[in-house]
Amino acid sequence: PSGEPTGQPSGQPSGQPTSAPSGFCNLDPIPLGNASSFVVLGYASISNSGNTVLGGNLGLWPGTTSSESFTYVGGEEHVNDYMAEAALRDMGVAFLTARNVRAPTPELWPVSSGQGLMHDTTLTCGIYKVEGDLYISGTVYLDGNENPDSVFIIQVSGNIYTAPDSEIVLTGRASVLNVFWQTEGKAYLGSYSFFTGTILSFCRIIADEGVDGRLFADNRYMIDTVMNLNLFNAMVHTAYPTSMPTIGV
């Protein structure tokens, strides 16, 4: 969208690994509770431009939606009802859980000038910490090492940006249900990028393409943000363990 950051870092941080070892694999997935059947959750408002397809529930509490065309496949809209309230409450717990989970030796992702770059790299299960903004470009593989219970938690103290045409790909039987991106800031998913996993954002999410996972934004403690979820012709779905369709991009 016009006026938003492009998500292009000025340069690649020194020490960028081509593959990252596991930080700590004895992890449980972040419990989502009542939020688990939702693919989009927001606190202040949710806006949509174009034909956005959701393969699960949309929840908003309290707030309003501005929608040209939401298409629901296997889900429905919950605005200011008890299901949305319960989901938002559990989303807040999930955010704090993802923020506070610790490992004996978490992987500290290389950062230069306040920027961390994941470019054409492979992550194995574990906890990864980025002290600053995270830029994703090229293809990032999440390798489950043939273990469907492998868990990936990426903790970002700044914003998350994905470059145009970037993608996050699961390999080695890794499950989208076990991938969590927790950010203290905003998430900007660039045009023609494909994102995988659950985003737990403290602020705002802007998505312009396909997401295999969930977009959860909670800005209830922010006073300078009036809109926290913007979707533009997006397709959001997840492999929730009920019968859910696969939506192509």
Side-chain angles (χ1 to χ4, degrees):
S2 174
E4 299 295 347
T6 61
Q8 293 296 328
S10 57
Q12 180 168 317
S14 60
Q16 159 76 19
T18 55
S19 64
S22 167
F24 182 59
C25 281
N26 187 21
L27 293 169
D28 293 323
I30 302 299
L32 299 179
N34 290 294
S36 60
S37 65
F38 288 77
V39 294
V40 171
L41 277 173
Y43 180 79
S45 63
I46 298 173
S47 71
N48 172 53
S49 299
N51 183 27
T52 292
V53 179
L54 303 180
N57 292 333
L58 174 148
L60 183 65
W61 182 90
T64 59
T65 58
S66 173
S67 167
E68 289 183 8
S69 176
F70 276 121
T71 300
Y72 292 92
V73 182
E76 58 188 10
E77 185 172 296
H78 294 275
V79 177
N80 298 327
D81 64 11
Y82 73 95
M83 288 187 64
E85 181 180 4
L88 264 291
R89 181 186 63 243
D90 289 351
M91 177 185 73
V93 174
F95 176 90
L96 294 175
T97 301
R99 170 202 274 172
N100 295 325
V101 66
R102 295 289 184 265
T105 54
E107 289 297 324
L108 297 176
W109 200 259
V111 172
S112 176
S113 300
Q115 301 175 357
L117 175 64
M118 289 184 181
H119 173 75
D120 289 341
T121 190
T122 299
L123 278 64
T124 54
C125 60
I127 298 174
Y128 297 83
K129 293 182 67 68
V130 181
E131 297 294 342
D133 292 339
L134 172 62
Y135 294 85
I136 298 172
S137 63
T139 301
V140 174
Y141 295 94
L142 305 182
D143 185 1
N145 196 27
E146 301 307 317
N147 178 9
D149 296 323
S150 57
V151 175
F152 303 78
I153 300 174
I154 299 89
Q155 301 168 329
V156 182
S157 67
N159 302 316
I160 296 175
Y161 303 92
T162 65
D165 299 311
S166 62
E167 60 180 342
I168 299 172
V169 178
L170 302 180
T171 63
R173 300 179 66 195
S175 169
V176 65
L177 298 175
N178 297 332
V179 179
F180 304 91
W181 305 79
Q182 178 264 323
T183 170
E184 298 293 324
K186 305 172 184 179
Y188 297 95
L189 309 186
S191 299
Y192 305 108
S193 66
F194 188 82
F195 197 89
T196 300
T198 295
I199 295 180
L200 295 162
S201 169
F202 189 59
C203 196
R204 184 181 188 183
I205 299 175
I206 297 177
D208 196 5
E209 279 301 327
V211 177
D212 186 5
R214 301 179 174 94
L215 303 178
F216 290 175
D218 182 359
N219 73 338
R220 72 186 72 189
Y221 305 112
M222 306 285 287
I223 61 174
D224 60 344
T225 304
V226 296
M227 189 170 292
N228 66 345
L229 258 166
N230 301 86
L231 307 176
F232 304 87
N233 291 308
M235 289 185 241
V236 187
H237 64 103
T238 187
Y240 184 64
T242 56
S243 179
M244 296 293 290
T246 297
I247 304 172
V249 296

